[in-house]
Amino acid sequence: MPTFTDVLLRFSRDSGHQLADLQPAIAIAGVASGPSMIIERSRWVISYDGLTSLFARAPVIINEVAAQAWALRASLQGVTLVHGTRLPDMTKKGRYAFLTYNEGVGTAVLDLDEHGRYSVLDAEGGQLDFAGISDAERDLARSIVTVAGAAISWENILMLRQHVATTAIEEKDLLFARLLGRFVSNLMYTNGAWNGAFMTGPLVPSPKLDAEFSSAFTTRRPYPRLLAKAAVCRVAQANSVLRGCAVMLASRFGLL
């Protein structure tokens, strides 16, 4: 389809649903902000005013990573512990970082207030500047070609996971498990997400590397006690983007 509007009109025609009868929730790959939004890895541009006109009401547009974080509001099924002593209690006040590690590195911040209200903030933590602390990490950074004057981001580094071929497979797995541990601790410090973090995506290290991840996660100073007691979890939930959009709408309409 050449435009997203064509997709919506085709859906309306094929399904028999009138767009003006529906409340849209849309999850996009990219920054969900401003009057128009560019979809990553696509030529589509989404217009907020255009969608409002089509649906006769304001659309709810969020980043796809935030949508996956919303899915946890309904269930912790498919959530397993990577670091910490127990799974998070999602009925108590707290703040958590949420990240996906897939075709890119996406992040969000998940908040629970003292009344049990749940909210998710879109974020772009993957764009934080990277600084290597070992020869192996500095070698990775030197392998990245950037525009003159541009900083190397954590996403730049972590996305090398699929392309590094200069080390043995086991050595590479250990290196990127440690890198992810450091990155998650950075997210917690940056966002004040002292309760922990959730990670999802096919590039998240396997359980056999949990000890390596935890070691890198907890070595940052200062305030190591905050990291030591935080829960870091691996998330494997089917259709989490679609489910998250539904959960978000249900929450906004007071159904949860």
Side-chain angles (χ1 to χ4, degrees):
M1 294 296 212
T3 70
F4 186 51
T5 299
D6 291 312
V7 173
L8 294 173
L9 294 176
R10 172 76 173 270
F11 163 77
S12 179
R13 184 175 68 250
D14 291 352
S15 68
H17 290 291
Q18 297 299 311
L19 296 181
D21 296 333
L22 304 175
Q23 169 62 58
I26 301 169
I28 68 171
V31 178
S33 179
S36 62
M37 287 147 272
I38 298 173
I39 308 303
E40 294 293 330
R41 298 179 293 277
S42 166
R43 294 182 179 181
W44 285 356
V45 177
I46 289 183
S47 165
Y48 189 88
D49 289 342
L51 290 175
T52 300
S53 176
L54 277 174
F55 286 96
R57 56 176 56 79
V60 178
I61 305 176
I62 61 173
N63 177 267
E64 62 180 353
V65 181
Q68 292 178 79
W70 269 105
L72 294 176
R73 171 71 173 80
S75 171
L76 288 183
Q77 184 177 4
V79 175
T80 55
L81 204 60
V82 175
H83 170 84
T85 56
R86 59 180 179 271
L87 290 176
D89 184 346
M90 303 304 285
T91 66
K92 293 184 178 180
K93 180 179 179 181
R95 171 171 285 187
Y96 300 86
F98 188 98
L99 74 132
T100 63
Y101 189 13
N102 193 352
E103 295 177 347
V105 177
T107 67
V109 180
L110 190 164
D111 266 320
L112 285 151
D113 70 11
E114 60 271 18
H115 304 293
R117 288 186 294 250
Y118 193 102
S119 61
V120 178
L121 173 69
D122 292 5
E124 281 294 334
Q127 305 311 314
L128 291 170
D129 291 354
F130 172 81
I133 60 172
S134 69
D135 289 341
E137 292 182 7
R138 286 187 281 272
D139 286 343
L140 283 178
R142 281 191 288 267
S143 73
I144 297 173
V145 178
T146 63
V147 177
I152 293 172
S153 70
W154 271 97
E155 182 173 60
N156 293 149
I157 292 294
L158 290 171
M159 291 318 299
L160 290 175
R161 171 69 182 80
Q162 295 176 293
H163 307 295
V164 172
T166 56
T167 60
I169 295 297
E170 182 178 356
E171 189 178 333
K172 180 171 73 172
D173 289 344
L174 293 172
L175 172 60
F176 279 89
R178 291 192 292 267
L179 282 166
L180 191 64
R182 290 211 298 117
F183 176 59
V184 174
S185 70
N186 275 322
L187 287 181
M188 292 181 63
Y189 274 84
T190 302
N191 296 296
W194 304 122
N195 293 82
F198 296 93
M199 309 183 296
T200 190
L203 297 184
V204 171
S206 66
K208 69 179 183 180
L209 294 168
D210 285 353
E212 200 72 25
F213 172 94
S214 293
S215 175
F217 174 76
T218 55
T219 53
R220 179 161 181 163
R221 298 294 187 270
Y223 312 120
R225 62 179 180 80
L226 294 172
L227 298 178
K229 68 179 184 179
V232 180
C233 302
R234 185 182 288 104
V235 180
Q237 294 186 335
N239 302 315
S240 56
V241 174
L242 181 61
R243 290 175 57 249
C245 285
V247 169
M248 179 189 62
L249 282 183
S251 179
R252 291 197 177 199
F253 287 116
L255 301 177
L256 287 176

